Every structure is written in structure tokens, then in C-alpha cells.
Amino acid sequence: MNTVQTVTGPVPAGELGRTLMHEHFLYGYCGYQGDATLGPFDEAEALKTCIAAANTAKGYGIRTIVDATTNECGRNVRFLRKVSEATGVNIICSTGFYFEQESSYAYWKFRSAFADITAEIAEMMITELTEGIEGTGIRAGVIKLGSSWNTITPMEQCFFEAAARAQRETGCVIITHTQRGTMGPEQAELLIKNGANPAKIAIGHMCGNTDIAYHKRVLALGVFVNLDRFGLQGELFHTPTDAQRVDLIEDIIAAGYEDKILLGHDSVNVQLGRPKIMTPMLQEALRDANIGTIGSKILPELRRRGFTEEQLDRLLVVNPEVLFA
């Protein structure tokens, strides 16, 4: 049985328990660092919030959380270790970058004039997976990638190719961001073409598209689908409702892919930078956007629809274990 790198050390894949596959304890849109005068980071307050969030998830049986925050969007492994140590929840952190429009690719574009940046990105990922991040010795447990709406840009392709190279060397799991549920098949095909193992790939935000034919195209490639935006609903986020996501789970199972479904919220527990301006529309849109929605609303709804505890464990325990094994 493989071990999985968490921020407090390796854990056997068989001991991960109930796992949320895509969350953010801290998250900042690129550029937040330049607004630190009026949007400073209050670590003590952030710790209180994130410890409470981890304990909320723990309250419905979650033992492991994958933090999908990328290198440039506020990933803070020292902070994550404090949250894990305070709660006993395993936290798996990421190496990688976000999709181009919301990332900080200027650095890599500059370097591309002088170096093979695909090789450099792969070196960064491999180092963070095998040696540690920022001199801490805390190792990433997954690679996180993202692509744009209806396209994979040339710069994003460099990251996908680098991730495939890093996975070939380390055997690590790759998780992705699909913008509005587009480019799922293309992401999987690009990774596999470059030598990545489909059994170690989870295509993310797939619940942004409820077309079962689209899901079958992705699943036929042997990868997992991450239905990981529960609680984010409606036009503001360009997403289906949670009821439609539950329908999708049933459709995927009916298509024979119960063993390829993963779950999460894409919750952001602390937004870095200045606080959000909470308009009435945003308040309504974020009403259920928290790390407790699967436990408080989705699991009861699945049980109401006739799901057995064994099936729920398949989604939250067995499938993540297989992905990381």
C-alpha cells in the first residue's frame, strides 16, 4: 500500500478515511500580495477560522482534506501544518499553478525567453513532491493544474506536460481545475499522451457540466471525475444546482462508473487580501458554499434517494484510497 504525503508526514493510503478532494483553507487571487497594506494576513484569526472549518468536516467523518491551493494563490504549508496538528485532520497540499487568466504566468513567460520552462516547472514539482516546499521539508501530495474556458493555452500546456513528466518520476496524483466544466477530455488526453497514468488523474470541477455524454467521454479514458463544487450554485458561479449534481452522481453510477467519482466543495475558508464586498447577490450565492455542505445536506439527500452507507463510503473512502494507492 502506497503512502500519501500530508503536511505532517506520510500516511498509508488505506488510512485516509473519508476524504474531500478539493478545498482551500487559504486562497488569494493573484495580486492579493500587492494589497497587503489594506488586506493584511491575520494568521491568528485565520487559524481560528480554518481550525473550525476542519473540525466541521471532521464532525461528519472527514479524516483527510486535499488543499488544492496552488503555489501562487496563497499556498502556505506552515499554516496548513498548524491546522492539521490542531485538529488531527490529514491535509494534503499541492504543487502547481492555476489557469492562465487567474494565475501569475508573467514570471514563466519571462523565463521562457532563456530556458526550457517545461523542464523547470517539472523540476519545481518533483522537488516539492520529493524533498519539500520552501525549505520546510513539508512535501506536496498532489499536483494541481488548471485550464481556461474552452481552451488549453500554450502556457497551460507547459504545465500539463511538466505534470505528466513529474508524475512519471514520482507516481503522484494529479488533480485539475476545468473552467466552467470545459476541456475535461482534452486535459485527460494531454496528460495521458505525455505519459501520465490515468488511474492517478482526477479531472476537477466536472460537476460544472451535467451532460452525461461529456462525462462518459472523460471516464472512458480511465481517469476519475471530481464533483467538487457542492455548495456553489447558480449563475454567479456558472454552475448547476446541488440537486442537479446529485442527479449527475446517479447518472454516472447508472453508466457503470461508481468507482470513479470523487467529492468536494471547492470551499474557501479564508480569502486572502481585503475582505469580499458581500452584496445581497453574493450572500445568496455563497449561502451553502462551505465545507459542511456535503455532510449536512448532500449525504442526507443521497440517503433519501436510497444510497446505502456502503455506497457513500465508496464515494468518500474507497475511491480516494484507490486513487492514492
Side-chain angles (χ1 to χ4, degrees):
M1 177 68 69
N2 283 352
T3 58
V4 183
Q5 290 300 324
T6 77
V7 295
T8 56
V11 172
E15 296 179 13
L16 293 176
R18 283 191 170 186
T19 300
L20 296 176
M21 281 299 303
H22 191 119
E23 312 297 337
H24 302 275
F25 283 103
L26 304 176
Y27 179 82
Y29 283 100
C30 284
Y32 79 89
Q33 300 94 335
D35 200 20
T37 300
L38 296 178
F41 178 53
D42 185 337
E43 182 177 40
E45 194 61 33
L47 272 172
K48 289 180 187 176
T49 299
C50 292
I51 287 169
N55 281 329
T56 293
K58 189 177 177 181
Y60 65 88
I62 296 299
R63 291 176 57 191
T64 300
I65 296 172
V66 177
D67 187 288
T69 305
T70 49
N71 300 27
E72 84 284 31
C73 289
R75 183 193 62 182
N76 184 330
V77 295
R78 297 170 182 86
F79 180 92
L80 293 177
R81 181 165 58 188
K82 290 177 182 179
V83 175
S84 181
E85 289 173 342
T87 62
V89 173
N90 300 316
I91 298 175
I92 300 169
C93 75
S94 304
T95 180
F97 273 59
Y98 204 24
F99 73 101
E100 184 165 3
Q101 184 180 2
E102 295 184 10
S103 186
S104 55
Y105 281 12
Y107 171 80
W108 296 105
K109 287 179 178 177
F110 169 75
R111 292 195 65 81
S112 70
F114 312 99
D116 176 358
I117 60 166
T118 300
E120 289 198 338
I121 294 164
E123 180 186 23
M124 174 194 72
M125 291 173 172
I126 291 166
T127 301
E128 295 193 336
L129 289 160
T130 62
E131 298 179 23
I133 295 165
E134 299 167 10
T136 63
I138 299 171
R139 293 160 60 181
V142 299
I143 297 174
K144 164 72 178 293
L145 302 167
S147 65
S148 298
W149 184 38
N150 280 332
T151 190
I152 300 176
T153 69
M155 282 297 299
E156 290 164 355
Q157 183 168 331
C158 289
F159 278 85
F160 276 78
E161 291 173 354
R165 188 180 305 185
Q167 195 210 63
R168 292 199 310 271
E169 183 163 328
T170 66
C172 70
V173 165
I174 295 172
I175 63 173
T176 76
H177 165 104
T178 57
Q179 187 66 359
R180 303 191 197 178
T182 65
M183 307 306 292
E186 292 82 1
Q187 285 188 355
E189 288 165 354
L190 177 58
L191 288 167
I192 294 166
K193 182 181 77 172
N194 282 280
N197 178 0
K200 292 283 191 177
I201 298 169
I203 303 299
H205 302 342
M206 285 289 290
C207 53
N209 188 331
T210 58
D211 179 0
I212 189 60
Y214 172 76
H215 283 262
K216 287 179 179 179
R217 283 179 60 202
V218 175
L219 288 160
L221 297 168
V223 302
F224 288 78
V225 293
N226 215 348
L227 312 184
D228 53 11
R229 304 200 89 193
F230 279 99
L232 288 169
Q233 304 181 77
E235 287 186 21
L236 190 61
F237 298 105
H238 308 285
T239 67
T241 65
D242 281 351
Q244 290 172 306
R245 292 185 175 103
V246 174
D247 292 342
L248 178 61
I249 291 175
E250 292 183 322
D251 290 342
I252 294 172
I253 291 173
Y257 291 104
E258 183 178 31
D259 59 346
K260 291 293 186 180
I261 302 170
L262 303 164
L263 302 181
H265 303 88
D266 197 21
S267 62
V268 175
N269 292 291
V270 172
Q271 185 85 48
L272 300 171
R274 295 195 216 188
K276 293 188 291 288
I277 300 171
M278 295 297 289
T279 65
M281 178 184 294
L282 189 57
Q283 287 177 347
E284 175 62 23
L286 292 174
R287 181 181 57 186
D288 294 323
N290 62 76
I291 205 166
T293 289
I294 287 175
S296 64
K297 297 188 175 183
I298 304 308
L299 295 184
E301 174 60 14
L302 289 168
R303 291 186 182 104
R304 188 190 69 79
R305 296 193 187 199
F307 277 63
T308 65
E309 294 306 308
E310 182 180 4
Q311 286 178 302
L312 299 183
D313 279 346
R314 163 65 67 179
L315 301 177
L316 287 167
V317 180
V318 177
N319 289 350
E321 178 184 333
V322 172
L323 174 70
F324 283 103

